[in-house]
Amino acid sequence: MTDESDTPILDNHLHLDPEHGRGIDAVEDFARAGGTHLLVVNKPSWMLEDVGDDEAIFRAVFETTIDAVERATKVLPGRAWPVLGVHPALISKLTGRGYTPEEAGNIMQAGLDVAAEYVADGPALALKSGRPHYDVGDPVWEASNEVMKHAFELGAETGCAVQLHTEGGQDFTEVAEWAEDRGLPAKRVVKHYSEGRLDGPTKSVLSNKDELEIAIEENEPFLMETDFIDDPDRPGAVLGPKTVPRRVEWLRADGYDDAIRTAHVETPAAVYGIDTEATL
């Protein structure tokens, strides 16, 4: 059986808000529970800055996340990486301010262009995009899909993965085909907040026991996440920062060493090109 101390434990998707939330305290909780590596996704821009069409808004949000990642790395046994992008619900914030869906989509694509600069220059590991997880009209849906396709183009250009925030469901083969058509391998498209079954992209499974058991039964590449949002008004939402390490402990007790290696070593290497063992 794998020595617990030698096992990387990666939370593939969580947020840190060093100004309003728990910030580094949440990272310390994760590390004390046995966690080693984090992929820190910038919070939605409107939660940290204003809503508008100024590129500086996105840069400020990205810089906040990069700074949080640098501080997180100092307290982790392994390290953290930033995942930067534009939350798909921004389109509703922008149209609510009077922008057309097309104008809003163009602003979001420009934000992704800025995020891609951080990937190309080195601080960021991957991009984040997607489409609304709630009902919207056709113009907003179509504009959102164009934003997501642009993210795939940028992922292909910079050689990075793209994390997606989307509606629920299990069949995302069309989305994976859109990525492939733009030169981004489907395995480098990651559906965050995924169920245990998923067709198309790589699944990042919200770490509830039932869904993890399904993911293991499927015997496919997968990642584990909490989607911890670090919001003082919603403490512990969605799952707390200790959850992934505790789920790994639970999996280890049941003899699922192969699944642990899949989620925390092999899939991160295949999707992001990171070595969680060498960085431990």
Side-chain angles (χ1 to χ4, degrees):
M1 183 171 287
T2 305
D3 183 349
E4 179 176 343
S5 64
D6 294 335
T7 302
I9 297 177
L10 169 73
D11 187 333
N12 180 66
H13 186 110
L14 91 166
H15 307 276
L16 294 175
D17 187 340
E19 183 175 349
H20 308 101
R22 298 193 61 217
I24 205 70
D25 289 343
V27 178
E28 290 174 343
D29 278 355
F30 172 75
R32 280 193 293 267
T36 61
H37 295 77
L38 293 172
L39 264 59
V40 181
V41 184
N42 62 268
K43 292 191 73 169
S45 53
W46 66 87
M47 290 187 174
L48 299 178
E49 298 288 335
D50 195 6
V51 174
D53 56 7
D54 188 347
E55 173 184 298
I57 292 172
F58 295 110
R59 290 194 184 276
V61 172
F62 299 156
E63 291 288 350
T64 296
T65 304
I66 290 167
D67 181 65
V69 164
E70 290 173 351
R71 285 189 276 170
T73 293
K74 291 177 181 178
V75 303
L76 289 170
R79 61 161 295 179
W81 291 271
V83 176
L84 305 180
V86 180
H87 195 287
L90 179 59
I91 196 165
S92 298
K93 300 289 184 180
L94 289 168
T95 54
R97 291 282 186 96
Y99 293 93
T100 68
E102 183 179 5
E103 290 170 339
N106 289 337
I107 293 167
M108 295 168 72
Q109 290 190 36
L112 285 167
D113 290 340
V114 174
E117 292 177 19
Y118 286 92
V119 174
D121 293 341
L125 179 67
L127 296 172
K128 182 239 180 108
S129 186
R131 62 191 182 193
H133 61 279
Y134 47 88
D135 290 337
V136 294
D138 289 345
V140 168
W141 185 253
E142 290 164 7
S144 297
N145 280 329
E146 290 304 312
V147 172
M148 182 165 54
K149 291 172 184 177
H150 185 63
F152 296 152
E153 292 170 356
L154 293 171
E157 289 173 10
T158 58
C160 78
V162 177
Q163 285 199 17
L164 295 182
H165 176 114
T166 72
E167 75 280 9
Q170 298 179 358
D171 185 359
F172 286 84
T173 52
E174 182 181 45
V175 169
E177 288 168 2
W178 290 345
E180 293 272 0
D181 289 345
R182 286 156 181 80
L184 183 66
K187 73 177 182 180
R188 306 205 77 188
V189 179
V190 179
K191 186 186 183 315
H192 121 81
Y193 210 107
S194 177
E195 301 174 22
R197 292 189 182 89
L198 186 71
D199 293 327
T202 297
K203 53 198 170 195
S204 181
V205 181
L206 190 69
S207 294
N208 294 317
K209 290 183 177 181
D210 291 348
E211 295 300 336
L212 289 173
E213 287 176 336
I214 293 169
I216 292 168
E217 290 171 4
E218 293 291 294
N219 196 29
E220 296 171 345
F222 73 100
L223 298 152
M224 294 171 59
E225 67 167 76
T226 56
D227 192 24
F228 173 67
I229 66 171
D230 202 9
D231 183 343
D233 294 329
R234 298 172 63 196
V238 174
L239 296 175
K242 299 177 184 178
T243 306
V244 168
R246 287 175 171 173
R247 293 294 185 263
V248 170
E249 183 179 355
W250 165 70
L251 291 172
R252 185 181 290 112
D254 282 354
Y256 289 120
D257 287 358
D258 288 346
I260 294 170
R261 184 168 184 82
T262 294
H264 300 278
V265 178
E266 294 171 357
T267 307
V271 172
Y272 301 109
I274 57 176
D275 189 334
T276 55
E277 291 179 314
T279 51
L280 184 57

